[in-house]
Amino acid sequence: MKRNQILSILFLFQISFLFAQKPNIVIIYADDIGYGDFHCYYPQNKLQTPNVDKLAKEGLVFTRAYTTAATCTPSRYSLLTGEYPWRKTGIKVLPGDATALIKSGSPTIASVFKNVGYETAVIGKWHLGLGDSLGPDWNATIKESPNDIGFKYSYIMAATGDRVPTVYVENGKVVNLDLKDPIAIDYKNKIGNEPIGREHPELLKVKHSHGHDFTIVNGVGRIGYMSGGNAARWVDEDMADTFTNKAVGFIETNKDKPFFLYFATHDVHVPRVPNARFAGKSGLGARGDALLEFDWAVGEILKTLELNGLNKNTLVILSSDNGPVLDDGYQDQAVELLGAHQPAGDLRGGKYSIFEAGTRVPFIVRYPGKVKPGVSNALISQVDLIASLSTLIGQSTPKEAVDSQNQLNALLGKDRIGRKDLVINTQSGGAYAIVEERWKYITPTDGQAKSRTNVELGNSPSPQLYDLKADTRERNNLAEKETEEVKRLEKHLEEIRNK
Ligand code: NG6
Ligand code: CA
């Protein structure tokens, strides 16, 4: 071949690479949805989740995917940064007025995409703090927001539905802010003169069972005091619609550009106040109704991708931030009407727990034509998403993402082994666990055995070792019998922690 011919072939390659469609990414991140909550994961449960099941049928269903923690903030921190949450101090469930955990300019999964020209967005629950060292100023443009760490567009709630301020924040500004009615927030001292749940339970449409007895907004007692911002306050019943519409709008607007969407639903976190279309429909109380609402939201996203011809070029990942809980502070009949539904499937524990149900979550990957539908038992952690997705788009992983492993082949179903091990940690009692394909070792702690939410936390003053292959339910502690394994895992966990 002549030199000219070679050069023109090389040129063609370059051109086709330039014009090759970059894949879109949609991460649907549920709140407090358990390993067994979806029909596709635990068909013994009667509740139908047809949209999630459709995604599962067309995608790869992971049985061994983990969050890094059993609560929201630390799990989300890992997903976005690629770092285990316990490497830094202060990464725990945050109040609504917390300052930004991830500082301006820090690399995140979103900034990786933004840097190569993607449209990037977070829509839904944030819970990673806002504002500089002085905290967020709700009555001005908030200084540190998702827009400073890679999200070109953000439409979020600051923390959780049960924490003030009960307002949406779009690109750092409170939506419908009225400066004549400024917003003030206090987590310690009462402000304003609105009724609080502790003193006026007769005004509540959902009664609290523990906590959640401060300012009443929309008939629901919250954590924290709030005054002002009346025009900006959300209506819980419309929250899923609001977030879903924003997500659908973002996809439609950017259908001709590569995009990365982190869609973090509020469902099924408390307070569970689903829209009238779902209220009372599951027969399982508000938690089941919120599951139906979540499934509906998934359906809207899938429909939008399909209608815009984006199915084939979009990698969809669906997962949850931690395991399930029934009564998480409100009397919403999640316990009374549960019936035979098992939110964690066959796993032990739940939200807050070091047992499997705390961190082993549903995890589905759909990428038509690229990922063969089926089931994968590969061991993966959500902390791996930043390295794996960076690799997918030919980018290097940010060096700060120290715990993120490139598990792209596992995500795509080409590797059925995944990680050798992963670490999980809970705030409740501070236990750590190291998980391998077969073994799970849990460090001894003096934390409580049960949470006030009635979840077995897995804390014990003695070391615990479970054979997850033979004993998925973690019933048989082998620590005294398998002393060599305990020693090996203890040492290895120590090495990872000191890395
Ligand atoms: C707890 C809340 C609980 C929930 C949780 C955070 C009380 C009594 N309990 O402190 O309701 O908000 O924090 O959940 O206030 S998470 O999914 O965001 O981590
Ligand atoms: Ca959560």
Side-chain angles (χ1 to χ4, degrees):
M1 220 184 287
K2 284 200 189 105
R3 190 167 172 269
N4 275 355
Q5 275 176 313
I6 296 176
L7 280 179
S8 53
I9 289 173
L10 274 178
F11 180 70
L12 280 177
F13 261 124
Q14 267 177 334
I15 292 281
S16 61
F17 183 75
L18 275 179
F19 285 95
Q21 258 184 322
K22 291 178 178 157
N24 306 308
I25 311 292
V26 175
I27 299 178
I28 304 174
Y29 206 49
D31 202 346
D32 298 2
I33 289 187
Y35 189 76
D37 272 322
F38 301 133
H39 200 253
C40 52
Y41 267 87
Y42 201 71
Q44 294 92 318
N45 282 339
K46 294 279 175 293
L47 185 85
Q48 298 295 317
T49 49
N51 294 302
V52 175
D53 289 3
K54 179 176 184 291
L55 188 76
K57 214 172 137 223
E58 297 168 357
L60 190 57
V61 174
F62 286 80
T63 62
R64 298 290 309 274
Y66 291 79
T67 63
T68 62
T71 49
C72 168
T73 302
S75 294
R76 284 162 206 255
Y77 176 83
S78 293
L79 186 150
L80 293 191
T81 65
E83 183 183 46
Y84 282 135
W86 39 263
R87 291 210 191 274
K88 298 246 159 72
T89 45
I91 304 186
K92 51 177 195 221
V93 173
L94 295 177
D97 59 354
T99 61
L101 268 185
I102 309 171
K103 296 296 170 216
S104 258
S106 307
T108 64
I109 194 166
S111 69
V112 170
F113 284 93
K114 186 184 161 197
N115 289 346
V116 289
Y118 273 64
E119 294 302 320
T120 55
V122 51
I123 293 165
K125 180 177 175 181
W126 182 238
H127 213 181
L128 290 163
L130 291 169
D132 57 15
S133 55
L134 298 173
D137 180 353
W138 308 106
N139 304 299
T141 302
I142 294 167
K143 287 221 184 70
E144 304 229 4
S145 79
N147 297 59
D148 299 304
I149 51 170
F151 293 99
K152 288 174 77 174
Y153 178 71
S154 64
Y155 193 101
I156 55 167
M157 65 160 75
T160 57
D162 51 349
R163 286 175 172 77
V164 297
T166 56
V167 297
Y168 300 121
V169 179
E170 184 174 35
N171 296 328
K173 288 191 201 94
V174 170
V175 178
N176 292 333
L177 176 68
D178 173 5
L179 286 177
K180 290 196 282 313
D181 183 26
I183 297 172
I185 298 299
D186 202 307
Y187 271 75
K188 288 197 190 84
N189 305 307
K190 189 172 177 210
I191 46 170
N193 44 23
E194 286 177 66
I196 60 172
R198 207 175 313 145
E199 290 165 3
H200 290 282
E202 77 284 358
L203 298 177
L204 297 170
K205 64 181 170 200
V206 194
K207 302 237 181 307
H208 49 264
S209 51
H210 50 269
H212 305 108
D213 54 3
F214 304 68
T215 304
I216 301 172
V217 180
N218 189 28
V220 181
R222 314 282 165 165
I223 310 173
Y225 300 101
M226 172 171 182
S227 72
N230 278 285
R233 295 181 182 194
W234 67 52
V235 176
D236 304 78
E237 288 84 344
D238 297 336
M239 185 176 281
D241 284 1
T242 303
F243 286 146
T244 306
N245 288 340
K246 290 284 169 195
V248 164
F250 173 79
I251 295 172
E252 285 173 348
T253 308
N254 296 298
K255 63 181 179 0
D256 298 321
K257 299 177 192 162
F259 61 81
F260 169 86
L261 169 63
Y262 170 49
F263 177 48
T265 69
H266 180 249
D267 284 321
V268 299
H269 196 278
V270 296
R272 304 171 187 126
V273 192
N275 190 273
R277 303 196 302 282
F278 306 101
K281 294 285 155 48
S282 68
L284 302 179
R287 187 173 185 279
D289 300 342
L291 274 166
L292 296 181
E293 190 170 74
F294 173 82
D295 186 68
W296 164 82
V298 171
E300 293 302 294
I301 300 292
L302 298 185
K303 205 161 68 190
T304 309
L305 293 174
E306 179 148 24
L307 288 177
N308 289 285
L310 297 169
N311 267 4
K312 250 197 124 80
N313 196 39
T314 304
L315 169 66
V316 179
I317 298 174
L318 183 146
S319 197
S320 178
D321 69 339
N322 53 251
V325 58
L326 296 173
D327 178 344
D328 204 13
Y330 292 98
Q331 302 172 39
D332 61 7
Q333 296 210 288
V335 175
E336 294 81 348
L337 297 179
L338 181 68
H341 182 86
Q342 293 200 39
D346 280 330
L347 303 180
R348 188 171 183 185
K351 181 176 180 176
Y352 310 110
S353 177
I354 196 75
F355 284 141
E356 288 289 278
T359 52
R360 201 202 283 199
V361 285
F363 191 98
I364 302 169
V365 175
R366 188 188 78 170
Y367 195 11
K370 306 271 188 352
V371 172
K372 241 170 83 194
V375 175
S376 173
N377 301 324
L379 192 64
I380 51 165
S381 167
Q382 290 173 358
V383 80
D384 299 328
L385 284 179
I386 182 166
S388 309
L389 296 181
S390 297
T391 308
L392 175 75
I393 57 164
Q395 296 304 303
S396 52
T397 304
K399 63 175 189 324
E400 290 83 351
V402 289
D403 298 302
S404 193
Q405 294 181 0
N406 170 20
Q407 292 295 340
L408 182 63
N409 283 336
L411 286 189
L412 299 180
K414 294 180 196 153
D415 163 16
R416 299 298 171 116
I417 307 277
R419 280 180 163 257
K420 280 202 184 65
D421 50 58
L422 53 87
V423 175
I424 54 183
N425 171 239
T426 57
Q427 275 173 249
S428 336
Y432 284 80
I434 177 164
V435 177
E436 297 179 340
E437 187 205 8
R438 178 175 179 197
W439 296 111
K440 174 174 180 182
Y441 167 69
I442 305 175
T443 59
T445 65
D446 49 15
Q448 286 167 297
K450 258 195 178 183
S451 68
R452 58 182 163 173
T453 59
N454 205 24
V455 171
E456 285 186 297
L457 294 173
N459 296 324
S460 161
S462 318
Q464 297 174 76
L465 179 76
Y466 297 102
D467 177 347
L468 291 178
K469 281 199 130 171
D471 176 28
T472 320
R473 291 192 77 108
E474 299 168 283
R475 292 284 165 200
N476 199 4
N477 181 5
L478 299 172
E480 277 180 25
K481 224 159 104 196
E482 301 279 354
T483 49
E484 282 310 305
E485 288 300 337
V486 169
K487 251 197 252 160
R488 177 181 69 81
L489 288 163
E490 214 164 37
K491 187 163 164 259
H492 190 40
L493 174 61
E494 223 27 57
E495 281 161 7
I496 299 172
R497 286 178 63 181
N498 294 328
K499 199 173 90 176

